[in-house]
Amino acid sequence: MPRYTCKTLMPVSAEELYAWHTRPGAFERLTPPWEDVEIISPPDGLEDGSEVVLQVNNGPIGVKWVARHHGVQPGREFRDRQVAGPFASWEHRHRMIPRDDRSSYLEDQVEYQVPLGLIGRKFAGSMVRHRIDRMFRYRHEVTRNDLHAHLKGDAEPMRILISGSTGLVGGRLVSFLTSGGHDVVRLVRSRRPGDESSLLWDPTTGLCDDSSRLEGFDAVIHLAGESIASGRWTAAQKRRIEDSRVQGTRVLAEALARCETKPKVLLCASAIGYYGDRGAEKLSESAAPGRGFLAQVAEKWEAASQPAADAGIRVVNLRFGMILSPKGGALKKMLPAFKFGFGGRLGSGEQCVSWIALDDVVGAIHHVLGNDHISGPINLVSPNSVSNNDFAATLASVLGRPKGPPAPRFALRLALGDMADELLLAGANVHPVKLQETDYEFLYPRLEDALRHLLGR
């Protein structure tokens, strides 16, 4: 039976390493973003007999994978065995091996059999082993980075309210915070059946639940807003984009300002669209706003958080650059064309792309949460922006595909109108000055490294 082993030194004791695996969100943190996996039922703790249920998709084919825990030794190890799934058999042993009081080894051992016996091993054995290796290298890297971040930044657990918790950033942030021991409450527009822990609100009129439930949070992170890339920018769509950001932020900021026990900090999403189309001009947080629809929206969006600042709450406006993840956003939309060798530059390709890996978005938000000296706007971008032409060339190279033909400017404008001009053909050379001045350590400061991590390449 084939056996795979991956062993990595971790910056915490074996007991803390084990505890991290028991917390809500840990399993979500370990799921590689390039895998099409849906967590139907996450594990409810680590006890003998507890199960995790996944939907694993390979193109149009989906398989339910059920794994059951056994052999649990608190603080040291646990195992899971496939009950149903894609393998003929699967036995996974997670070991936490003490090194000293402040470090330990995480060792994953897997014994598995591919389906169809000898035929399966001959035609799929090496591919399966490579896929397992990619997955565990990713898991160990994320585990080590998360533990290091919490060790460096968390003085004590916080109670945190988050809107937009099911979005690309929100979902990843919630799993990071809960696996780090923080208590997270979701601010939602509608509840799932049986979900009484979340806080219900209407971003146009105010909170629907008892306003007293806003009391006592250490921090509030506001990420909700209509997607700017969900369709052509009609007049109605522009109103929805603006209202979802400006009205929602103002309603929340005013509600927090009225609290008797106010949060210490409010983090509000914003965007580098604030700067408009600025060519090669180097832009820090002190740069003036630009022109265009997105710049106007971002300026009003940030101003809408002022009631919270006036009430003495530390307010930070998170100006996101292009967030990279195969799970959503621009990269997800690019991947099909680039995988088939058709992806190329947009227009001239000279426009500057200020990007950031999703892992660094989460890391930077965590950094800002714990740093009382950061307030006002902050640029969440990599320190190494690239041209659109270089972005296309790097993505094609990482995927092992040729760079495709360019998308002509006139065709993009014909298809998307104003959205093409402001989202695809405009550029801004934005720099993370405040993050660097406060010593944030980027996990993936260079584009090729970020793409290889996110795509498992």
Side-chain angles (χ1 to χ4, degrees):
M1 183 179 295
R3 172 183 287 184
Y4 173 83
T5 301
C6 186
K7 185 177 180 179
T8 304
L9 181 64
M10 297 292 169
V12 294
S13 67
E15 290 77 13
E16 175 54 28
L17 178 58
Y18 182 92
W20 184 88
H21 283 82
T22 68
R23 294 177 188 136
F27 190 83
E28 288 87 342
R29 292 295 294 163
L30 297 176
T31 305
W34 63 82
E35 296 283 9
D36 189 359
V37 176
E38 179 187 356
I39 301 173
I40 298 174
S41 176
D44 185 14
L46 291 179
E47 289 84 29
D48 286 327
S50 64
E51 292 184 348
V52 58
V53 182
L54 310 172
Q55 178 72 19
V56 181
N57 300 311
N58 286 304
I61 302 173
V63 178
K64 184 176 286 188
W65 190 344
V66 181
R68 182 175 299 151
H69 291 125
H70 68 101
V72 176
Q73 299 179 31
R76 287 296 179 267
E77 72 172 73
F78 62 96
R79 304 184 185 209
D80 58 74
R81 179 179 297 130
Q82 176 188 284
V83 177
F87 288 86
S89 67
W90 173 278
E91 178 78 19
H92 179 190
R93 183 185 185 188
H94 314 247
R95 298 182 66 203
M96 292 75 185
I97 305 169
R99 181 173 181 258
D100 53 41
D101 292 342
R102 297 183 178 180
S103 63
S104 58
Y105 290 98
L106 173 61
E107 182 179 84
D108 283 290
Q109 294 179 347
V110 181
E111 292 186 346
Y112 64 95
Q113 289 184 328
V114 297
L116 303 178
L118 181 61
I119 295 174
R121 290 195 296 274
K122 180 175 178 61
F123 289 99
S126 61
M127 179 190 71
V128 169
R129 186 171 183 86
H130 176 63
R131 189 168 175 177
I132 291 172
D133 182 58
R134 288 169 67 200
M135 177 179 70
F136 279 103
R137 287 182 182 276
Y138 174 87
R139 291 173 67 136
H140 281 222
E141 184 175 350
V142 168
T143 304
R144 184 183 62 242
N145 289 342
D146 280 15
L147 290 169
H148 177 73
H150 288 297
L151 193 66
K152 181 179 179 181
D154 295 341
E156 57 185 34
M158 292 185 286
R159 187 165 182 259
I160 304 169
L161 181 67
I162 299 183
S163 76
S165 61
T166 60
L168 179 64
V169 174
R172 198 70 179 156
L173 181 62
V174 168
S175 62
F176 171 83
L177 293 171
T178 53
S179 62
H182 298 287
D183 177 19
V184 174
V185 177
R186 299 173 187 262
L187 187 62
V188 298
R189 289 196 249 186
S190 61
R191 287 197 186 104
R192 297 176 181 175
D195 177 18
E196 298 301 325
S197 62
S198 59
L199 183 56
L200 198 64
W201 82 313
D202 182 338
T204 59
T205 61
L207 297 171
C208 299
D209 278 331
D210 183 349
S211 60
S212 66
R213 293 191 63 191
L214 270 181
E215 300 281 346
F217 286 99
D218 298 300
V220 177
I221 305 174
H222 179 42
L223 303 172
E226 180 84 10
S227 171
I228 61 172
S230 58
R232 193 179 181 94
W233 284 356
T234 62
Q237 179 66 4
K238 283 185 174 182
R239 281 196 301 273
R240 284 193 292 269
I241 289 171
E242 180 172 327
D243 291 348
S244 68
R245 286 159 171 74
V246 178
Q247 288 186 5
T249 300
R250 184 180 297 114
V251 163
L252 182 57
E254 290 174 348
L256 294 173
R258 291 192 297 267
C259 287
E260 298 248 347
T261 307
K262 298 175 178 60
K264 296 176 183 176
V265 60
L266 169 63
L267 273 55
C268 281
S270 182
I272 62 169
Y274 175 93
Y275 301 109
D277 186 4
R278 303 286 277 271
E281 179 186 355
K282 186 173 180 178
L283 302 165
S284 70
E285 289 85 354
S286 62
R291 298 179 179 178
F293 170 67
L294 291 180
Q296 292 173 3
V297 169
E299 192 171 7
K300 294 177 183 177
W301 193 3
E302 294 183 7
S305 64
Q306 190 61 39
D310 292 341
I313 300 170
R314 176 169 69 97
V315 173
V316 183
N317 305 107
L318 308 169
R319 291 179 181 168
F320 294 121
M322 180 195 285
I323 299 172
L324 299 186
S325 171
K327 287 293 187 183
L331 182 59
K332 182 180 180 180
K333 293 181 178 182
M334 294 179 199
L335 281 175
F338 276 86
K339 284 180 177 179
F340 285 102
F342 298 123
R345 72 174 193 263
L346 303 178
S348 70
E350 295 177 358
Q351 64 271 36
C352 192
V353 179
S354 294
W355 61 273
I356 183 169
L358 181 56
D359 301 74
D360 272 315
V361 172
V362 171
I365 291 174
H366 181 240
H367 172 77
V368 171
L369 271 178
N371 194 319
D372 294 338
H373 301 293
I374 299 175
S375 62
I378 185 167
N379 295 331
L380 268 62
V381 294
S382 159
N384 297 294
S385 58
V386 296
S387 69
N388 177 265
N389 188 53
D390 287 344
F391 186 99
T394 303
L395 178 55
S397 174
V398 167
L399 292 171
R401 297 290 188 271
K403 191 173 73 167
R409 178 182 293 266
F410 78 87
L412 293 170
R413 283 176 168 165
L414 184 64
L416 300 172
D418 292 348
M419 189 168 77
D421 283 327
E422 295 206 33
L423 275 184
L424 305 179
L425 300 172
N429 184 17
V430 182
H431 286 253
V433 174
K434 284 190 178 180
L435 282 177
Q436 292 180 313
E437 287 178 346
T438 54
D439 298 325
Y440 174 71
E441 298 177 16
F442 281 86
L443 297 170
Y444 306 102
R446 300 197 173 276
L447 180 61
E448 182 176 344
D449 296 337
L451 291 173
R452 292 195 180 280
H453 167 73
L454 292 166
L455 301 176
R457 299 284 177 155

